[in-house]
Structure formats: C-alpha cells, structure tokens
Amino acid sequence: MGKETVSVWILGDQLLLDHPVLFEAEKYCPRQKMRVVMIESDTRIRHLPYHRQKLTLLFSAMRHFAESLRERGFQVDYLRARNYATGLLQHFETHQPEQLLTMAGSEYTSRKFQLEKLPALFTGELTVLANTQFLTGQFDPYPKPETGKRYVMENFYREMRRHFGVLLEKDSTPIGGKWNYDEMNRKPLPKGMKLPEPLAFEPDQITRQVMREIEEAGQGVGSAEGFNWAVTQGQAEIALSDFLEHRLKNFGPYEDAMTTRSATLFHSLLSAYVNIGLLTPMQMIRAAEQAFHDGKAPINSVEGFIRQVLGWREYVYWQYWQQMPGLRSANSWNAARPMPQMFWDAETEMNCIRHIARRVIDDGFSHHIERLMVVCNFCLLAGIDPRAVADWFLTFYVDAYDWVVLPNVIGMGLNADGGKTATKPYIASANYINKMSDYCGSCRYHPKQRTGEDACPFNYLYWNFLIEHEKTLRANPRLGPNVLGLKHINEDERRKIKAQAAEFLKSLPLYE
Ligand SMILES: Cc1cc2nc3c(=O)[nH]c(=O)nc-3n(C[C@H](O)[C@H](O)[C@H](O)COP(=O)(O)OP(=O)(O)OC[C@H]3O[C@@H](n4cnc5c(N)ncnc54)[C@H](O)[C@@H]3O)c2cc1C
Ligand code: SF4
C-alpha cells in the first residue's frame, strides 16, 4: 500500500551506498516523496573529547553522503540537534511521517535507543531492519558456547570462509592447502626497506567547512589541520585500489613489524571507511581474493588480510553482541589505575610509547600490533583500568567505535573479559618489541635489562605481573611457558622486580 509520508533515518556510521532501508522504503513510497533524516547529535559527539580528525571524517562523510542522496533524487532533512530524540522529534513535527524505517545500529546504545526509546517517540508505523554492515548478521556460523567453554576465533574464521566460499578450491579445501599462514607473517622490517606512502585526499569545500566548524567549536583533542582521509565511497574505493596495488603484496610478512619510520607500513588504512559504510567487508575481501588470482599478491599476504576482515573484524563484532552490556565494565584482573598522562601528551622517555602516542595525538592512527603489543600490553602490565583504556582508544582513533573498541581493548588487549575474546593475555617483555621494531635502538632504556636504572619498564612490569598473578596464570595452559621462566628468578631478584615496578608505577604521571 502506498503511503503519503515515509521517512527513513540513516545513522552517521551507516553510509552505505545500497542502504537496505532505502530499498525497503521504496516499496511504500517513491524516492521523490520519501524523506531521509540524518542527524549530527551534539550529545553523541560530546560523550568524549573525540579527536578532531575523527569528527571531521564522520561529519564530512555524512554531509557528502547526504549530497549524493540528493543527487539520486531523495529529499534529505539534514539536522544538527542536541541528541537523536530532539532531532527526530523536530523532523516528526515538521514532516508528520506516517511511517519510519531505520536500520539497527552497530553500537549497543544506538540500537537500544531504536528498539526501546524510539517506539515511544514515534506513534506511526516503525520498522527497524537488521544491520547489514557485518557478515555475521547474514550468517551466524558459530554455535552458542556451552557454559564455561571459551570462544575460538580460528574456528569461527574457518566457518566464515566455508560459508562465504572465500579462498577455497573447488572441493572446498583452502587454497594453498592451509587455512592460516600466520607463521610466514611475523617478520621484522628489513633495515632500509622502502616504505610506500599511503594516498592523501585533498579536503574539498565541504570538508574544509567541517574542519573550520570543529576548530571553532574548540572541542576535542588533536587538530583537524592536515586532515587527508577519504570522505566519499568513490575516494574509499580509490584507497582500496591503492592498497591492493602498492601494499597488499608485503602486507603479510610485515603485518606485525613496527618502525620509527612509518605509522602505516603495508597496512590498508581502510578500517575507518568500512566502519562507517564507505566500503563493505565483502568488497574488501573479494578485491583481495581477486588480487591473488591475478597474481598480484602471494597467498600469505592475501589470506592474512582476509583473516583480519572476515575473521577478526566479524569475530569481535560477534563477541561484542555476545558480551554486552557486561563487556563495558569487565575487569577480571581488577585493574584500577587511571590512564598515564604520557598517552595524552607523548611526554615519556619510553621511545616506543613516545612515537606511538605522538602519531595517535597527531593523526588518530597507529597500526594493529602497536595498539596490541605496546599500548595494551603496557596498560595490562601496569594495571590500568580497562574502561579508561577503552575511553582513550575511543577518544583518539579515527576508526574507533564502541562495537570494535570494547572487544579489542577490554577483551583482546587487556584480557579483562575472563578470556572470552582471546584465550590468553597478550603480554610481553621488551624482548618482543625489540625483535619486531627499531624503537629500542634509540631508547634511553635497555631492552635486555630486567632491573636497574636503565632497565626497560616493560621488563620489570612484565615479571612483576607474572609474580603477582602466578597462580592464575599457571592455571591457563596457554601461559604455562611464560610462567615457567619464573623458576629461574630467585627471591632476591623477585624483591627487586617488585620494588622497581612499584616505584615506577608510583611515579608515573596519571591523566585524571
Ligand atoms: C587494542 C586494539 C584496539 C583496536 N581498536 C580498533 C578500532 O577502534 N577500530 C577498528 O576498526 N579496529 C580496531 N582494532 C583492530 C585493528 O587494529 C584495526 O582495525 C587496524 O589497525 C586498522 O588499520 P588498517 O585498516 O590499516 O588495518 P589492516 O591491518 O590493513 O587490516 C585490515 C582490516 O581488517 C580489519 N581488522 C583487523 N583486525 C581487526 C580487529 N581486531 N577488529 C576489527 N577489525 C579488524 C579492519 O577493518 C582493517 O581495516 C583494534 C585492535 C586492537 C588490538
Ligand atoms: S627499550 Fe623498552 S621502552 Fe624503550 S623502546 Fe624498547 S620496549 Fe620501548
């Protein structure tokens, strides 16, 4: 039945070219008559002091998306409002829609609003469609774990590969004979290896206007100056092609490498786009698969990249919905210290953290292994409150949203969810950072010293963590080897480690 007044509400992180709500609404009403409402919510963007480049990316992409809808013949009611409720009420009052369609948000609070509060605000016919930004929404391959059983990402990933027919031979076995090429993908960067520069996108008039507004509002950390992210589907597709052409080939071997020379190495820099709908996960997966078939990249790089998108990304989203709302307050190591100041100003003698914090403050980005094995590793060893760490990530990173930060930071990085996301805590001493980076060579600290004035803080904090949690860690079969090292540390050395760790943590300036 045709309706006179149909409205569609598209959230800011749902900038899908083929948004399912638009197709659904066209069943009831021609696009020239339907109204698309989009809202920049003050409350949402002031929840944390978000990085100005993150806000620029989101608002500029939203405004470009609204323009593209207008060009396709839709009427768009683009609003700035105190919050979603006031924006929607304003829209309802002006346009009196009989029917409202929207797609379920990826984040817990937006979905809760749509399912619980919106029905009370809107008296017409409300439809909340299932979210299509994730492949798990289209296929839930993993049975609910039995009580007390852990979730394993590798099984999840293989099921996804089988279900979607990705990198498979005709007989459904994995191409190349193996599901996982991780052991080929742990190389440090060779000295002097030439690193590609990722594409930079010149801000257009819309983006420059957003940058001006954000700078004038004086809200948030960092600066909008120097913004060069893609803000349209077309630009995001160019960024994807640039990655396939220039970086995918070396993505695998060096995906865990870290260097003072580059924040991005051979990574794709696509997370910020796929998280707001400028790209889709399957588009990225099929493009990488095609690059393999065209002989442009080896299997270990292609499989490694696809595992990130089809495996890890989908798995953390699935974990988020399994564990919410409890995940937000999970704290199984009872960590309570506030976030160290050095993550807010990069003022530290720890060379690795200084470089990473500087990049994040300037550009809102650092790559995966720096997030996991430097920032989270430090915060877990130093007993930083998981919620404070998650808020830091949400504040600074251009690609950070609740559904991806909570399982990655609280689950994987800090192991604060009781091991549901990852079966072991990702902890390491300076040895790992020294092996995988060139940070230690020019650091004031010594990566091989465990105690003493020049000892790297990662070392005494690591051993202190093992001593403090020895009993719990011994109970975890995957951590046995780490704890075994404690056998070689005598009581006197243990006392020194504990004293130096306590002294370091006492004198560490905190962000309060
Ligand atoms: C502590 C921690 C915090 C993180 N915070 C975020 C975040 O706020 N936003 C975010 O999108 N990713 C996050 N990740 C995942 C990952 O680090 C980033 O997706 C990646 O670094 C983005 O850069 P890239 O696009 O160059 O990724 P690449 O290294 O090129 O990987 C390809 C793609 O795989 C996906 N991906 C890979 N690993 C993950 C993962 N663990 N979870 C979700 N997607 C993944 C991303 O879409 C990424 O674009 C976090 C990981 C950790 C350990
Ligand atoms: S010595 Fe320690 S603090 Fe310095 S760069 Fe290496 S790991 Fe980081």
Side-chain angles (χ1 to χ4, degrees):
M1 257 260 299
K3 288 233 166 52
E4 277 304 304
T5 48
V6 172
S7 287
V8 155
W9 176 32
I10 294 185
L11 274 67
D13 61 353
Q14 297 182 346
L15 309 179
L16 296 164
L17 204 55
D18 297 325
H19 202 296
V21 162
L22 297 174
F23 287 104
E24 184 64 18
E26 278 195 302
K27 290 184 191 161
Y28 306 101
C29 164
R31 69 173 60 171
Q32 293 77 7
K33 281 191 157 187
M34 128 192 6
R35 281 197 177 79
V36 179
V37 55
M38 295 180 69
I39 303 167
E40 291 180 7
S41 157
D42 278 330
T43 310
R44 180 67 189 86
I45 64 157
R46 285 178 192 279
H47 178 60
L48 289 168
Y50 296 113
H51 199 294
R52 293 180 189 182
Q53 298 219 7
K54 178 178 181 170
L55 294 178
T56 304
L57 173 57
L58 190 64
F59 284 176
S60 176
M62 283 174 72
R63 293 181 196 184
H64 278 92
F65 184 77
E67 273 312 302
S68 75
L69 289 180
R70 287 188 187 108
E71 281 160 19
R72 287 162 62 194
F74 293 95
Q75 299 184 63
V76 183
D77 188 17
Y78 194 95
L79 302 168
R80 180 70 183 248
R82 190 154 56 83
N83 54 37
Y84 293 141
T86 50
L88 286 170
L89 284 173
Q90 183 184 329
H91 176 81
F92 299 155
E93 205 170 300
T94 316
H95 300 289
Q96 304 285 323
E98 292 168 77
Q99 190 176 359
L100 177 70
L101 295 100
T102 185
M103 181 173 86
S106 324
E107 298 191 311
Y108 187 81
T109 41
S110 51
R111 192 173 295 184
K112 209 168 152 63
F113 173 81
Q114 289 167 312
L115 296 177
E116 292 176 15
K117 295 212 175 116
L118 192 49
L121 295 178
F122 183 64
T123 48
E125 191 181 329
L126 172 66
T127 307
V128 182
L129 295 182
N131 188 295
T132 60
Q133 290 173 282
F134 296 86
L135 298 161
T136 36
Q138 295 156 44
F139 171 59
D140 189 351
Y142 206 83
K144 281 214 184 319
E146 294 162 35
T147 317
K149 285 263 162 78
R150 287 173 193 275
Y151 307 84
V152 183
M153 146 48 202
E154 187 62 28
N155 298 348
F156 177 97
Y157 165 60
R158 289 181 191 187
E159 284 303 317
M160 295 292 272
R161 288 259 304 267
R162 284 193 197 99
H163 181 84
F164 289 101
V166 175
L167 284 184
L168 295 184
E169 302 284 3
K170 282 203 184 78
D171 63 356
S172 294
T173 55
I175 284 184
K178 287 201 303 190
W179 290 102
N180 184 320
Y181 290 83
D182 231 8
E183 84 281 3
M184 292 169 75
N185 288 356
R186 293 183 186 130
K187 292 192 180 156
L189 197 70
K191 253 196 193 133
M193 185 175 188
K194 207 166 170 293
L195 295 170
E197 273 297 312
L199 271 189
F201 295 88
E202 188 64 28
D204 66 2
Q205 211 187 335
I206 295 181
T207 304
R208 284 200 301 276
Q209 173 64 24
V210 175
M211 288 164 70
R212 258 194 310 276
E213 287 172 24
I214 286 170
E215 287 295 345
E216 276 165 23
Q219 195 225 333
V221 296
S223 166
E225 282 312 313
F227 179 91
N228 59 18
W229 293 91
V231 290
T232 63
Q233 258 98 15
Q235 289 181 335
E237 278 167 19
I238 293 171
L240 170 61
S241 302
D242 182 62
F243 164 66
L244 298 173
E245 200 59 41
H246 302 294
R247 303 196 295 283
L248 176 62
K249 193 169 159 220
N250 282 317
F251 174 87
Y254 306 113
E255 74 180 295
D256 287 359
M258 300 178 275
T259 174
T260 50
R261 295 196 283 135
S262 164
T264 52
L265 289 98
F266 299 99
H267 289 272
S268 69
L269 303 184
L270 298 174
S271 52
Y273 309 142
V274 67
N275 290 355
I276 60 173
L278 296 185
L279 294 174
T280 68
M282 199 40 100
Q283 179 184 15
M284 289 159 64
I285 291 163
R286 293 294 182 211
E289 197 178 21
Q290 192 56 47
F292 171 73
H293 291 303
D294 293 347
K296 289 186 177 161
I299 187 70
N300 58 313
S301 282
V302 173
E303 188 281 317
F305 177 73
I306 287 178
R307 179 150 27 89
Q308 304 309 311
V309 184
L310 184 63
W312 279 109
R313 184 172 188 273
E314 295 291 329
Y315 177 72
V316 299
Y317 179 71
W318 179 76
Q319 279 286 356
Y320 176 75
W321 284 102
Q322 293 286 322
Q323 294 194 52
M324 281 303 279
L327 183 57
R328 190 167 283 153
S329 51
N331 191 357
S332 43
W333 297 96
N334 296 317
R337 207 165 268 117
M339 198 65 178
Q341 178 69 24
M342 62 188 178
F343 289 105
W344 290 79
D345 58 17
E347 297 283 326
T348 172
E349 290 186 306
M350 299 177 75
N351 204 28
C352 51
I353 292 184
R354 187 171 65 241
H355 271 278
I356 295 165
R358 187 75 267 153
R359 286 167 182 164
V360 176
I361 294 163
D362 290 347
D363 302 323
F365 187 86
S366 71
H367 74 69
H368 182 76
I369 222 67
E370 297 182 333
R371 301 184 200 201
L372 183 65
M373 296 309 296
V374 180
V375 178
C376 281
N377 183 21
F378 180 89
C379 291
L380 174 53
L381 297 177
I384 313 297
D385 174 11
R387 188 64 231 180
V389 186
D391 280 350
W392 180 80
F393 273 94
L394 282 165
T395 298
F396 278 95
Y397 281 81
V398 286
D399 58 7
Y401 295 88
D402 207 56
W403 64 265
V404 63
V405 166
L406 299 193
N408 269 307
V409 174
I410 296 182
M412 180 153 55
L414 302 176
N415 193 248
D417 65 348
K420 292 190 181 104
T421 307
T423 48
K424 62 165 191 173
Y426 284 89
I427 48 171
S429 65
N431 198 26
Y432 177 85
I433 298 171
N434 193 26
K435 192 174 93 191
M436 295 307 298
S437 80
D438 58 5
Y439 288 132
C440 302
S442 48
C443 184
R444 168 252 180 275
Y445 295 109
H446 204 297
K448 295 208 187 302
Q449 282 184 24
R450 189 159 54 201
T451 51
E453 206 188 317
D454 292 333
C456 168
F458 273 101
N459 288 343
Y460 46 78
L461 290 176
Y462 172 79
W463 290 104
N464 180 60
F465 187 86
L466 294 188
I467 293 167
E468 217 171 280
H469 301 289
E470 187 172 356
K471 224 168 128 189
T472 319
L473 293 169
R474 270 192 199 286
N476 182 339
R478 290 199 66 196
L479 278 166
N482 297 51
V483 196
L484 281 183
L486 276 177
K487 274 202 304 206
H488 307 294
I489 300 186
N490 63 30
E491 271 313 311
D492 186 41
E493 181 70 356
R494 283 182 181 228
R495 258 194 303 278
K496 276 194 209 146
I497 290 169
K498 281 159 73 175
Q500 193 160 0
E503 184 52 38
F504 173 84
L505 291 173
K506 204 168 102 197
S507 59
L508 187 66
L510 300 172
Y511 179 82
E512 288 181 278

